[in-house]
Coordinates of all heavy atoms in Angstrom, one line a residue:
G1 N 24.5 90.0 -73.5 CA 23.2 89.9 -74.2 C 22.3 91.0 -73.9 O 21.1 90.8 -74.0
F2 N 22.7 92.2 -73.5 CA 21.9 93.3 -73.1 C 22.1 94.4 -74.1 O 23.2 94.6 -74.6 CB 22.1 93.7 -71.7 CG 21.7 92.7 -70.7 CD1 22.7 91.9 -70.2 CD2 20.4 92.7 -70.2 CE1 22.3 90.9 -69.2 CE2 20.1 91.7 -69.2 CZ 21.0 90.9 -68.7
K3 N 21.1 95.3 -74.2 CA 21.2 96.5 -75.0 C 22.1 97.5 -74.3 O 22.1 97.5 -73.0 CB 19.9 97.1 -75.3 CG 19.0 96.3 -76.3 CD 17.8 97.0 -76.7 CE 17.0 97.6 -75.6 NZ 15.7 98.3 -76.0
K4 N 22.7 98.3 -75.0 CA 23.5 99.4 -74.4 C 22.6 100.3 -73.5 O 21.5 100.7 -74.0 CB 24.2 100.2 -75.5 CG 25.1 101.3 -75.0 CD 25.8 101.9 -76.3 CE 26.6 103.1 -75.9 NZ 27.3 103.7 -77.0
P5 N 22.9 100.6 -72.3 CA 22.0 101.4 -71.5 C 21.9 102.8 -71.9 O 22.9 103.3 -72.5 CB 22.6 101.3 -70.1 CG 24.0 100.9 -70.3 CD 24.1 100.1 -71.6
D6 N 20.8 103.4 -71.7 CA 20.6 104.8 -72.1 C 20.4 105.6 -70.8 O 19.3 105.5 -70.2 CB 19.5 105.0 -73.0 CG 19.2 106.4 -73.4 OD1 20.1 107.3 -73.1 OD2 18.2 106.7 -74.0
F7 N 21.3 106.4 -70.3 CA 21.2 107.1 -69.1 C 20.5 108.4 -69.2 O 20.4 109.2 -68.2 CB 22.6 107.2 -68.5 CG 23.3 105.9 -68.1 CD1 24.4 105.5 -68.9 CD2 22.8 105.2 -67.1 CE1 25.0 104.3 -68.5 CE2 23.4 104.0 -66.7 CZ 24.5 103.5 -67.5
A8 N 20.1 108.8 -70.4 CA 19.5 110.1 -70.7 C 18.3 110.4 -69.8 O 18.1 111.5 -69.4 CB 19.1 110.2 -72.1
K9 N 17.6 109.3 -69.4 CA 16.4 109.5 -68.6 C 16.7 110.0 -67.2 O 15.9 110.5 -66.4 CB 15.5 108.3 -68.5 CG 16.2 107.1 -67.9 CD 15.4 105.8 -68.0 CE 16.1 104.6 -67.5 NZ 15.4 103.4 -67.8
F10 N 18.0 109.9 -66.8 CA 18.4 110.3 -65.5 C 19.1 111.7 -65.5 O 19.6 112.2 -64.5 CB 19.5 109.3 -64.9 CG 18.9 108.0 -64.8 CD1 19.3 107.0 -65.6 CD2 18.0 107.7 -63.7 CE1 18.8 105.7 -65.5 CE2 17.5 106.4 -63.6 CZ 17.9 105.4 -64.5
A11 N 19.1 112.4 -66.6 CA 19.7 113.7 -66.7 C 19.2 114.7 -65.7 O 19.9 115.5 -65.1 CB 19.6 114.3 -68.1
D12 N 17.9 114.7 -65.5 CA 17.3 115.7 -64.5 C 17.8 115.4 -63.1 O 18.0 116.3 -62.3 CB 15.8 115.6 -64.5 CG 15.2 116.2 -65.8 OD1 15.9 116.9 -66.5 OD2 14.0 115.9 -66.1
R13 N 18.0 114.2 -62.8 CA 18.4 113.8 -61.4 C 19.9 113.9 -61.3 O 20.4 114.4 -60.2 CB 18.0 112.3 -61.2 CG 18.2 111.9 -59.7 CD 17.7 110.5 -59.5 NE 16.3 110.4 -59.8 CZ 15.6 109.3 -59.8 NH1 16.2 108.1 -59.6 NH2 14.3 109.3 -60.1
W14 N 20.7 113.4 -62.3 CA 22.2 113.3 -62.1 C 22.9 114.5 -62.8 O 24.0 114.7 -62.5 CB 22.7 112.1 -62.8 CG 22.2 110.8 -62.1 CD1 21.7 110.6 -60.9 CD2 22.3 109.5 -62.7 NE1 21.4 109.3 -60.6 CE2 21.8 108.6 -61.7 CE3 22.7 109.0 -63.9 CZ2 21.7 107.2 -61.9 CZ3 22.6 107.6 -64.1 CH2 22.1 106.8 -63.2
G15 N 22.2 115.2 -63.7 CA 22.8 116.3 -64.4 C 23.4 115.8 -65.7 O 23.8 114.6 -65.8
P16 N 23.4 116.6 -66.8 CA 23.9 116.2 -68.1 C 25.4 115.8 -68.2 O 25.7 114.9 -68.9 CB 23.6 117.4 -69.0 CG 23.4 118.6 -68.1 CD 23.0 118.0 -66.7
K17 N 26.2 116.4 -67.4 CA 27.6 116.0 -67.4 C 27.9 114.6 -66.9 O 28.6 113.9 -67.5 CB 28.5 117.0 -66.6 CG 28.6 118.4 -67.2 CD 29.5 119.3 -66.5 CE 29.7 120.6 -67.2 NZ 30.6 121.5 -66.5
R18 N 27.2 114.3 -65.8 CA 27.4 112.9 -65.3 C 26.8 111.9 -66.3 O 27.4 110.8 -66.5 CB 26.7 112.8 -63.9 CG 26.9 111.4 -63.3 CD 26.3 111.4 -61.9 NE 26.5 110.1 -61.3 CZ 25.9 109.7 -60.2 NH1 25.1 110.5 -59.6 NH2 26.2 108.5 -59.8
V19 N 25.7 112.2 -66.9 CA 25.1 111.3 -67.8 C 26.0 111.1 -69.0 O 26.2 110.0 -69.5 CB 23.7 111.8 -68.3 CG1 23.2 111.0 -69.5 CG2 22.7 111.7 -67.1
E20 N 26.6 112.2 -69.5 CA 27.5 112.1 -70.6 C 28.7 111.2 -70.3 O 29.1 110.4 -71.1 CB 28.0 113.5 -71.0 CG 28.9 113.5 -72.2 CD 29.4 114.9 -72.5 OE1 28.7 115.9 -72.3 OE2 30.6 115.0 -73.0
K21 N 29.2 111.4 -69.1 CA 30.4 110.6 -68.6 C 30.0 109.2 -68.6 O 30.8 108.3 -69.0 CB 30.9 111.1 -67.3 CG 32.1 110.4 -66.8 CD 32.6 111.0 -65.5 CE 33.8 110.2 -65.0 NZ 34.3 110.7 -63.7
M22 N 28.9 108.9 -68.0 CA 28.5 107.4 -67.9 C 28.3 106.8 -69.3 O 28.7 105.7 -69.5 CB 27.2 107.3 -67.1 CG 27.4 107.7 -65.6 SD 26.0 107.5 -64.6 CE 25.9 105.7 -64.5
Q23 N 27.7 107.6 -70.2 CA 27.6 107.1 -71.6 C 28.9 106.8 -72.2 O 29.1 105.8 -73.0 CB 26.8 108.1 -72.5 CG 25.3 108.2 -72.1 CD 24.5 107.0 -72.4 OE1 23.9 106.4 -71.5 NE2 24.5 106.5 -73.6
R24 N 29.9 107.7 -72.0 CA 31.3 107.5 -72.5 C 32.0 106.3 -71.9 O 32.8 105.6 -72.6 CB 32.1 108.7 -72.3 CG 32.0 109.8 -73.2 CD 33.2 110.8 -73.1 NE 33.6 111.0 -71.7 CZ 33.2 112.0 -70.9 NH1 32.3 112.9 -71.4 NH2 33.7 112.1 -69.7
N25 N 31.6 105.9 -70.7 CA 32.3 104.9 -70.0 C 31.8 103.5 -70.2 O 32.2 102.5 -69.5 CB 32.4 105.2 -68.5 CG 33.3 106.4 -68.2 OD1 34.3 106.6 -68.9 ND2 33.0 107.1 -67.2
I26 N 30.8 103.4 -71.1 CA 30.2 102.0 -71.4 C 31.2 101.3 -72.2 O 31.7 101.8 -73.2 CB 28.9 102.1 -72.1 CG1 27.9 102.8 -71.1 CG2 28.4 100.8 -72.6 CD1 26.6 103.1 -71.8
I27 N 31.6 100.1 -71.8 CA 32.5 99.3 -72.6 C 31.8 98.0 -73.1 O 31.2 97.3 -72.3 CB 33.7 98.8 -71.7 CG1 34.4 100.1 -71.1 CG2 34.6 97.9 -72.4 CD1 35.5 99.8 -70.1
Q28 N 31.8 97.8 -74.4 CA 31.2 96.6 -74.9 C 32.3 95.5 -74.9 O 33.4 95.7 -75.4 CB 30.7 96.9 -76.3 CG 29.5 97.9 -76.3 CD 28.9 97.9 -77.7 OE1 29.4 97.6 -78.7 NE2 27.6 98.4 -77.7
T29 N 31.9 94.4 -74.4 CA 32.8 93.2 -74.4 C 32.1 92.0 -75.0 O 30.9 92.0 -75.0 CB 33.2 92.9 -72.9 OG1 32.0 92.6 -72.2 CG2 33.9 94.0 -72.3
P30 N 32.9 91.1 -75.5 CA 32.2 89.9 -76.1 C 31.7 89.0 -75.0 O 32.2 89.0 -73.9 CB 33.4 89.2 -76.8 CG 34.6 89.7 -76.1 CD 34.3 91.1 -75.6
L31 N 30.6 88.3 -75.4 CA 30.1 87.3 -74.4 C 31.0 86.1 -74.4 O 31.4 85.6 -75.5 CB 28.7 86.9 -74.8 CG 27.6 88.0 -74.7 CD1 26.3 87.5 -75.3 CD2 27.5 88.5 -73.3
I32 N 31.3 85.6 -73.3 CA 32.1 84.4 -73.1 C 31.3 83.3 -72.4 O 30.8 83.5 -71.4 CB 33.4 84.7 -72.3 CG1 34.2 85.9 -73.0 CG2 34.3 83.5 -72.1 CD1 35.3 86.4 -72.2
D33 N 31.3 82.1 -73.0 CA 30.5 81.1 -72.5 C 31.2 80.3 -71.5 O 31.5 79.1 -71.7 CB 30.0 80.2 -73.6 CG 28.9 79.2 -73.2 OD1 28.2 79.5 -72.2 OD2 28.7 78.2 -73.9
I34 N 31.6 80.9 -70.4 CA 32.3 80.3 -69.3 C 31.7 80.8 -68.0 O 31.5 82.0 -67.8 CB 33.8 80.6 -69.3 CG1 34.5 80.1 -70.6 CG2 34.5 80.0 -68.1 CD1 35.9 80.5 -70.8
S35 N 31.5 79.9 -67.1 CA 30.9 80.3 -65.8 C 32.0 80.4 -64.7 O 33.0 79.7 -64.8 CB 29.8 79.4 -65.3 OG 30.4 78.2 -64.8
S36 N 31.8 81.3 -63.8 CA 32.8 81.4 -62.7 C 32.8 80.2 -61.9 O 33.9 79.8 -61.4 CB 32.4 82.6 -61.8 OG 31.1 82.5 -61.3
T37 N 31.7 79.5 -61.7 CA 31.6 78.2 -61.0 C 32.5 77.2 -61.7 O 33.3 76.4 -61.0 CB 30.2 77.7 -60.9 OG1 29.4 78.7 -60.3 CG2 30.1 76.4 -60.2
E38 N 32.5 77.1 -63.0 CA 33.3 76.2 -63.8 C 34.8 76.5 -63.5 O 35.6 75.6 -63.4 CB 33.0 76.3 -65.3 CG 33.8 75.4 -66.2 CD 33.5 75.6 -67.6 OE1 32.5 76.3 -68.0 OE2 34.2 75.1 -68.5
I39 N 35.2 77.8 -63.5 CA 36.6 78.2 -63.3 C 37.0 77.8 -61.9 O 38.1 77.2 -61.7 CB 36.7 79.7 -63.5 CG1 36.5 80.1 -65.0 CG2 38.1 80.2 -63.0 CD1 36.4 81.5 -65.3
R40 N 36.2 78.1 -60.9 CA 36.5 77.7 -59.5 C 36.7 76.2 -59.4 O 37.6 75.7 -58.7 CB 35.5 78.2 -58.5 CG 35.6 79.7 -58.4 CD 34.7 80.2 -57.2 NE 33.3 80.0 -57.4 CZ 32.5 80.8 -58.0 NH1 32.9 81.9 -58.5 NH2 31.2 80.5 -58.2
R41 N 35.8 75.4 -60.0 CA 35.9 73.9 -59.9 C 37.2 73.4 -60.5 O 37.8 72.6 -60.0 CB 34.7 73.3 -60.6 CG 33.4 73.3 -59.8 CD 32.4 72.5 -60.5 NE 31.1 72.7 -59.8 CZ 29.9 72.8 -60.4 NH1 29.8 72.6 -61.7 NH2 28.8 73.0 -59.7
C42 N 37.5 74.0 -61.7 CA 38.7 73.6 -62.4 C 40.0 73.9 -61.5 O 40.9 73.1 -61.4 CB 38.8 74.3 -63.7 SG 40.2 73.8 -64.8
L43 N 40.0 75.1 -60.9 CA 41.1 75.5 -60.1 C 41.2 74.6 -58.8 O 42.3 74.2 -58.4 CB 40.9 77.0 -59.6 CG 41.2 78.0 -60.7 CD1 40.6 79.4 -60.3 CD2 42.7 78.1 -61.0
A44 N 40.1 74.3 -58.2 CA 40.1 73.5 -57.0 C 40.6 72.1 -57.3 O 41.2 71.4 -56.5 CB 38.6 73.4 -56.4
A45 N 40.3 71.6 -58.5 CA 40.8 70.3 -59.0 C 42.2 70.3 -59.5 O 42.8 69.3 -59.9 CB 39.9 69.7 -60.0
G46 N 42.9 71.5 -59.4 CA 44.2 71.6 -59.9 C 44.4 71.7 -61.4 O 45.4 71.5 -62.0
G47 N 43.3 72.0 -62.1 CA 43.2 72.1 -63.6 C 43.9 73.4 -64.1 O 44.2 74.3 -63.4
N48 N 44.0 73.4 -65.4 CA 44.6 74.5 -66.1 C 43.5 75.4 -66.6 O 42.6 75.0 -67.3 CB 45.4 74.0 -67.3 CG 46.1 75.1 -68.1 OD1 45.8 76.3 -67.9 ND2 47.0 74.7 -68.9
V49 N 43.5 76.7 -66.2 CA 42.5 77.7 -66.5 C 43.0 78.7 -67.5 O 42.4 79.8 -67.7 CB 41.9 78.3 -65.3 CG1 41.1 77.3 -64.5 CG2 42.9 79.0 -64.4
S50 N 44.2 78.5 -68.1 CA 44.8 79.5 -68.9 C 44.0 79.9 -70.1 O 44.1 81.1 -70.6 CB 46.2 79.0 -69.4 OG 46.1 77.9 -70.2
S51 N 43.1 79.1 -70.6 CA 42.2 79.4 -71.7 C 41.0 80.1 -71.2 O 40.2 80.6 -72.1 CB 41.9 78.2 -72.5 OG 41.1 77.3 -71.7
M52 N 40.7 80.2 -69.9 CA 39.5 80.8 -69.4 C 39.7 82.2 -68.8 O 38.8 82.9 -68.6 CB 38.9 79.9 -68.3 CG 38.5 78.5 -68.8 SD 37.8 77.6 -67.4 CE 38.3 76.0 -67.7
L53 N 41.0 82.5 -68.4 CA 41.2 83.7 -67.7 C 42.4 84.5 -68.3 O 43.2 83.9 -69.0 CB 41.7 83.4 -66.2 CG 40.6 82.7 -65.3 CD1 41.3 82.4 -64.0 CD2 39.4 83.6 -65.1
H54 N 42.3 85.8 -68.1 CA 43.5 86.7 -68.5 C 44.7 86.2 -67.7 O 44.6 85.8 -66.5 CB 43.1 88.1 -68.2 CG 44.1 89.1 -68.7 ND1 45.3 89.3 -68.1 CD2 44.1 89.8 -69.8 CE1 46.0 90.2 -68.8 NE2 45.3 90.5 -69.8
P55 N 45.9 86.2 -68.3 CA 47.1 85.7 -67.6 C 47.3 86.4 -66.3 O 47.7 85.8 -65.3 CB 48.2 86.0 -68.6 CG 47.5 86.0 -69.9 CD 46.1 86.5 -69.7
A56 N 47.1 87.7 -66.2 CA 47.3 88.4 -65.0 C 46.3 88.0 -63.9 O 46.7 87.9 -62.7 CB 47.1 89.9 -65.2
V57 N 45.1 87.6 -64.2 CA 44.2 87.1 -63.3 C 44.6 85.7 -62.8 O 44.6 85.4 -61.6 CB 42.7 87.1 -63.8 CG1 41.8 86.4 -62.9 CG2 42.3 88.5 -64.2
A58 N 45.0 84.9 -63.7 CA 45.4 83.5 -63.4 C 46.7 83.6 -62.5 O 46.8 82.8 -61.5 CB 45.7 82.7 -64.6
D59 N 47.6 84.5 -62.8 CA 48.8 84.7 -61.9 C 48.4 85.1 -60.5 O 49.0 84.6 -59.6 CB 49.7 85.7 -62.6 CG 50.4 85.2 -63.8 OD1 50.4 83.9 -64.0 OD2 51.0 86.0 -64.6
Y60 N 47.5 86.1 -60.4 CA 47.1 86.6 -59.1 C 46.5 85.4 -58.3 O 46.8 85.3 -57.1 CB 46.0 87.7 -59.3 CG 45.6 88.3 -58.0 CD1 46.3 89.3 -57.4 CD2 44.5 87.8 -57.3 CE1 45.9 89.9 -56.2 CE2 44.1 88.3 -56.1 CZ 44.8 89.3 -55.5 OH 44.4 89.9 -54.3
I61 N 45.6 84.6 -58.9 CA 45.0 83.5 -58.2 C 46.0 82.5 -57.7 O 46.0 82.1 -56.6 CB 43.9 82.8 -59.1 CG1 42.7 83.8 -59.3 CG2 43.5 81.5 -58.6 CD1 41.7 83.3 -60.4
A62 N 47.0 82.2 -58.6 CA 48.0 81.3 -58.2 C 48.9 81.8 -57.1 O 49.2 81.1 -56.1 CB 48.9 80.9 -59.5
K63 N 49.3 83.1 -57.2 CA 50.2 83.7 -56.3 C 49.5 83.7 -54.9 O 50.2 83.6 -53.9 CB 50.5 85.2 -56.7 CG 51.3 85.9 -55.8 CD 51.6 87.4 -56.3 CE 52.4 88.2 -55.3 NZ 52.6 89.5 -55.7
H64 N 48.2 83.9 -54.8 CA 47.5 84.0 -53.5 C 46.9 82.7 -53.1 O 46.2 82.7 -52.1 CB 46.5 85.2 -53.6 CG 47.2 86.5 -53.7 ND1 47.8 87.2 -52.7 CD2 47.4 87.3 -54.8 CE1 48.3 88.3 -53.1 NE2 48.0 88.4 -54.5
G65 N 47.1 81.7 -53.9 CA 46.5 80.4 -53.5 C 45.0 80.3 -53.4 O 44.5 79.6 -52.5
L66 N 44.3 81.0 -54.2 CA 42.9 81.1 -54.2 C 42.2 79.9 -54.8 O 42.8 79.2 -55.7 CB 42.4 82.4 -54.9 CG 43.0 83.7 -54.4 CD1 42.4 84.8 -55.3 CD2 42.7 83.9 -53.0
Y67 N 41.1 79.5 -54.3 CA 40.2 78.5 -54.8 C 40.8 77.1 -54.7 O 40.5 76.2 -55.5 CB 39.8 78.7 -56.3 CG 39.2 80.1 -56.5 CD1 39.9 81.1 -57.2 CD2 38.0 80.4 -55.9 CE1 39.3 82.4 -57.3 CE2 37.4 81.7 -56.0 CZ 38.1 82.6 -56.8 OH 37.6 83.9 -56.9
K68 N 41.6 76.9 -53.7 CA 42.2 75.5 -53.5 C 41.5 74.8 -52.4 O 40.9 75.3 -51.6 CB 43.7 75.6 -53.2 CG 44.5 76.1 -54.4 CD 45.9 76.1 -54.1 CE 46.7 76.5 -55.4 NZ 48.0 76.2 -55.4

């Protein structure tokens, strides 16, 4: 829910090349109406979070026994 940042005002301090790189590295992602607290509660209760997390993230959490 935020506007794309404009790093141009930092060009004098950071230099134009760094500002250009930062502008290129902005990634727009969709807003997802899920809270990390909700995910942790679901995991602690043994629930299924496959619809809330990327499969690789869910696999990592399961592999390392996190949030139990």
Side-chain angles (χ1 to χ4, degrees):
F2 294 94
K3 292 190 307 183
K4 184 177 177 179
D6 181 12
F7 298 109
K9 62 185 175 187
F10 300 107
D12 289 342
R13 185 178 303 169
W14 295 343
K17 287 184 180 183
R18 184 173 180 194
V19 168
E20 181 185 329
K21 182 177 179 181
M22 291 183 73
Q23 290 293 123
R24 274 195 325 264
N25 289 331
I26 295 171
I27 300 170
Q28 292 190 340
T29 58
L31 294 176
I32 302 171
D33 192 24
I34 299 174
S35 74
S36 57
T37 302
E38 180 183 351
I39 293 169
R40 288 190 298 271
R41 281 186 191 144
C42 187
L43 287 165
N48 182 345
V49 293
S50 63
S51 65
M52 298 182 213
L53 298 174
H54 186 280
V57 174
D59 289 344
Y60 182 90
I61 290 170
K63 179 180 177 183
H64 295 280
L66 303 178
Y67 308 111
K68 291 187 176 194

